[in-house]
Amino acid sequence: MNISKECVDRLKKMAWRMRLNALDMALISGKNGSHLGGSLSCMEILAVLYGEVLNIDAKDPCNPERDRFLPSKNHCVLAHIPALAETGFLEHEEIFEFQKDGGRLTGYPRQVELGLEYSGGSLGMALSVGIGIAWNARENRRAAAVYVLMGDGELNEGSVWEAFMAAAHYHLTNLTVIIDRNHLSYDGNTEEIMGLENLSEKLESFRWNVIKCNGHDVKELLESFAGRSSEKPNVILADTVKGKGVSFMENRPEWHHHRLSREEYESAKEEIMRGVGQE
């Protein structure tokens, strides 16, 4: 496929703006803290999805033919809401109302008019919900595709593997899972808590088409979505860094959920500003 430099540059800049927005949201969360680490790890994934891949329209958010995005790792809200603002589902200024009393933007909302299809819940449940949506779309001959973003930590859940089996059994080729493989959960390294490797071989044995990529490389992500199979459900294993873009957060499990001080905000913002255009 031919991926233009203009497209790659546009999506890199989108992810860069989203990172800055995430810091703003984290700062205004104050003493409540926020999920920065896992939001920063999936920023390029969401920029590519919302900036290029998803068939959605903010002017017609409930169109039954629309693609569906379900954030199973719904604590990535600091990446998700900026992506929605980038694509016109809400005004940029509303980002600064995040978690404020009376506002529309809470931690785990479901508001289809804002592009929020899934409200969250126990980790591992969104894949089963996505299977139901994908099955319904196929049975009703709708063009809608379903995308589910999962964290690697939630792969410890048994329901996830039942869902992987079901999707392959029912040949849900309109379903794509993206796994944010940052190797860290709130409790520490995923391989120390419950080893997942060789994850690619496990998923292939469950009859999924597996595509591996650098989850911070926009071009690789675009190629991964373009290279999906039309015969199996697809899973994109996106290798990422938790806290990507802010050195004092990278690969630090305590930044899964943490308060951001004014000093940390200024330091992180300066670092991201220097990194504009970088992968």
Side-chain angles (χ1 to χ4, degrees):
M1 65 173 298
N2 182 26
I3 298 172
S4 70
K5 183 179 183 300
E6 290 75 15
C7 177
V8 171
D9 288 346
R10 172 175 59 83
L11 295 174
K12 284 182 180 179
K13 289 176 181 177
M14 178 176 170
W16 174 75
R17 291 191 300 269
M18 288 163 56
R19 275 192 169 83
L20 291 174
N21 290 157
L23 292 179
D24 292 335
M25 293 170 67
L27 183 65
I28 64 175
S29 295
K31 64 181 181 181
N32 294 322
S34 60
H35 290 95
L36 260 173
S39 294
L40 293 173
S41 68
C42 65
M43 207 65 73
E44 281 78 15
I45 295 170
L46 286 177
V48 168
L49 278 167
Y50 277 89
E52 190 66 24
V53 174
L54 292 173
N55 177 26
I56 52 175
D57 184 356
K59 296 179 181 178
D60 188 15
C62 298
N63 189 322
E65 299 294 327
R66 72 189 184 280
D67 289 345
R68 309 307 205 275
F69 172 68
L70 280 66
S72 189
K73 51 166 287 176
N74 210 7
H75 49 282
C76 71
V77 64
L78 269 63
H80 194 189
I81 288 176
L84 292 167
E86 287 279 341
T87 45
F89 282 90
L90 61 149
E91 296 295 329
H92 179 264
E93 291 73 20
E94 194 167 358
I95 286 175
F96 300 99
E97 300 300 314
F98 178 62
Q99 289 192 340
K100 287 190 176 180
D101 290 344
R104 296 192 296 174
L105 301 178
T106 56
Y108 301 96
R110 182 183 183 276
Q111 296 155 293
V112 177
E113 71 277 8
L114 296 182
L116 297 162
E117 303 274 2
Y118 180 72
S119 64
S122 297
L123 286 174
M125 297 304 296
L127 180 54
S128 294
V129 175
I131 285 171
I133 296 171
W135 194 345
N136 178 270
R138 186 184 66 185
E139 293 302 300
N140 287 283
R141 299 182 181 179
R142 290 180 178 143
V146 180
Y147 299 83
V148 180
L149 175 64
M150 305 183 72
D152 49 5
E154 69 180 297
L155 299 184
N156 296 347
E157 302 288 346
S159 61
V160 165
W161 296 96
E162 295 178 48
F164 277 130
M165 284 192 291
H169 179 79
Y170 293 109
H171 307 289
L172 296 178
T173 59
N174 57 346
L175 175 64
T176 299
V177 167
I178 310 100
I179 296 176
D180 182 359
R181 185 70 168 116
N182 61 39
H183 294 267
L184 282 178
S185 69
Y186 189 64
D187 296 317
N189 187 285
T190 56
E191 298 313 295
E192 295 175 0
I193 294 167
M194 184 67 69
L196 294 170
E197 296 295 358
N198 189 320
L199 183 54
S200 178
E201 291 180 3
K202 284 187 175 76
L203 292 164
E204 287 173 353
S205 73
F206 276 64
R207 293 179 293 154
W208 282 64
N209 180 54
V210 180
I211 304 169
K212 299 172 73 174
C213 73
N214 178 347
H216 299 301
D217 188 312
V218 165
K219 189 170 186 290
E220 282 194 30
L221 284 164
L222 288 167
E223 290 171 343
S224 297
F225 283 107
R228 287 172 292 169
S229 170
S230 60
E231 298 178 356
K232 298 179 179 180
N234 290 273
V235 57
I236 296 173
L237 278 180
D239 189 31
T240 63
V241 175
K242 197 152 191 167
K244 176 68 174 177
V246 181
S247 58
F248 64 83
M249 297 182 191
E250 289 186 355
N251 293 313
R252 300 286 296 273
E254 61 266 33
W255 280 99
H256 179 91
H257 186 275
H258 205 287
R259 297 178 184 179
L260 185 69
S261 70
R262 169 62 68 171
E263 292 75 18
E264 289 167 335
Y265 168 81
E266 296 294 348
S267 176
K269 185 175 180 179
E270 181 182 353
E271 190 169 351
I272 291 174
M273 291 292 288
R274 291 198 307 267
V276 60
Q278 297 179 4
E279 294 175 353

